[in-house]
Amino acid sequence: MSAIAYLNFDGNAEQAIEFYSEAFQAAEVKKVRFGDIPQDPNYPMPENELKMIMESSIEFEGGKIMISDILPSMQSVTGELVKGNNILISLVMDDKSKLEQYFKELSVGGHVTMPLSAYPWSSCFGTLIDQFGVNWKFNSDADQFLDNVISNRS
């Protein structure tokens, strides 16, 4: 398991990725745009959102930071992005039962924003805000998602 700092941005994740990867002299940078994955024709995304960063990772000196943009169309679900709620802790692990246990425990007294479930980008993903206002993201296969999309868009 790894606990990873996850930074959310309001359309300027690309600039943040460049800044942090240079500042940390990143060993590896991966990024996927919303337009890199198949879109639902019933719910077309606006052109500006397709260019935004869905998921990225910056690896350096044994550490990792993940970065994404919060879509304007999703802010009714995620809440308005303001400085202070743009940082969350991402738990990435293969053991889904352990991930479910942590999700259940951390949701006590908090608010589940996305139930733990299978999504196109993860077989087990969910988000919540704990009772202290800390944002958490749970993901069983973040690295596999990034690698698969990147290899398929070439």
Side-chain angles (χ1 to χ4, degrees):
M1 177 188 89
S2 58
I4 300 166
Y6 200 106
L7 310 177
N8 287 321
F9 290 87
D10 195 13
N12 60 342
E14 182 87 39
Q15 294 90 338
I17 292 166
E18 291 172 20
F19 174 78
Y20 291 119
S21 62
E22 186 175 317
F24 291 118
Q25 300 174 348
E28 184 172 27
V29 177
K30 299 176 187 176
K31 59 185 169 183
V32 170
R33 297 178 192 286
F34 284 95
D36 289 336
I37 63 169
Q39 301 298 306
D40 183 339
N42 298 315
Y43 302 98
M45 292 178 72
E47 190 65 31
N48 66 314
E49 291 188 352
L50 290 170
K51 295 176 182 176
M52 290 181 170
I53 301 297
M54 179 181 183
E55 187 100 320
S56 71
S57 69
I58 300 168
E59 294 187 35
F60 58 96
E61 299 294 328
K64 181 188 275 191
I65 295 174
M66 297 186 78
I67 294 174
S68 68
D69 282 311
I70 297 295
L71 297 174
S73 61
M74 284 297 296
Q75 289 187 10
S76 62
V77 174
T78 61
E80 183 182 344
L81 190 69
V82 294
K83 288 184 179 179
N85 76 351
N86 62 326
I87 298 172
L88 56 85
I89 299 170
S90 179
L91 296 181
V92 178
M93 60 176 34
D94 294 332
D95 186 340
K96 290 179 187 172
S97 63
K98 197 69 157 169
L99 201 67
E100 290 168 354
Q101 176 188 343
Y102 290 148
F103 189 90
K104 180 182 174 190
E105 296 294 329
L106 287 170
S107 66
V108 173
H111 173 72
V112 173
T113 49
M114 286 184 79
L116 203 57
S117 187
Y119 292 94
W121 58 88
S122 177
S123 61
C124 189
F125 177 90
T127 60
L128 64 85
I129 301 168
D130 72 18
Q131 63 182 316
F132 300 104
V134 176
N135 288 282
W136 294 85
K137 179 182 278 193
F138 300 78
N139 195 339
S140 62
D141 21 49
D143 289 326
Q144 293 91 332
F145 168 77
L146 284 166
D147 291 340
N148 288 338
V149 174
I150 289 168
S151 67
N152 287 331
R153 71 176 178 203
S154 306

